[in-house]
Amino acid sequence: RLLAEAALLPDWFLPAVGAGLTEATRAGWEEAWPQVLPAVLDSGQPPVLVLRDYHVDNLMLLGGRSGTAACGLLDFQDALAGHPAYDLMSLLEDARRNVGPALASAMTTRYLTATGSDPGPFYTAWAVLAAQRHAKVIGIFTRLFRRDGKPRYLVHLPHVWRLFHQALRDPALAPVAAWMDRHVPHEVRQRVPQ
């Protein structure tokens, strides 16, 4: 599933900006991801419930409750068992808004302290999941524009690209970063889907 979702970037964004791929270069994308996914799949973290669309717009304050019981969740139909870093990353690397580095660091530290997670493998899995999610979101926002006639999502693409580039700096993502550098130059990444 992670590979299929990451493929939304080459399948939707690249054709929308006039940079379609050959079958061979598309295959290279599919070969790069299995090289990085073991950082998530073999991280030693037991799976947890992952909502997969966990961001502030899908949280609501429930009256008459306190603590975590006051937090209601929306849009959880895609929930599944997954890596514990996914929803925290999704919340703190929100596609629609910028979360400051100090707040993101404080929340991540709080999570790591509360769970006793080993920071090294956790952050590596975070980077891989972030790259996968951001590639997926770039593709989804492009698809929402092209297929569904919803251009309002395009305004978020520059921010999601910044988040994607940030994730690609992690050494664990070297195969995906190298593929991007070879086949999707920075000027292509800045184009607006048509």
Side-chain angles (χ1 to χ4, degrees), residues 71 80 100 134 160-161 185:
C71 183
L80 49 74
H134 301 320
V160 180
W161 273 110

Side-chain angles (χ1 to χ4, degrees), residues 121-155:
F122 185 86
Y123 281 121
T124 300
W126 174 300
V128 172
L129 291 167
Q132 184 273 344
R133 179 173 173 80
H134 301 320
K136 174 181 80 168
V137 169
I138 290 165
I140 288 173
F141 284 2
T142 303
R143 183 176 68 192
L144 285 167
F145 165 61
R146 291 200 71 182
R147 186 189 71 188
D148 303 335
K150 297 179 178 179
R152 69 182 176 271
Y153 292 94
L154 296 182
V155 70

Side-chain angles (χ1 to χ4, degrees), residues 9 14 24 49-50 52 76 94 96 100 109 130 133 175:
L9 187 152
L14 293 180
L49 177 66
V50 177
R52 296 177 27 84
F76 48 83
D94 191 325
R96 293 170 185 87
T109 299
R133 179 173 173 80

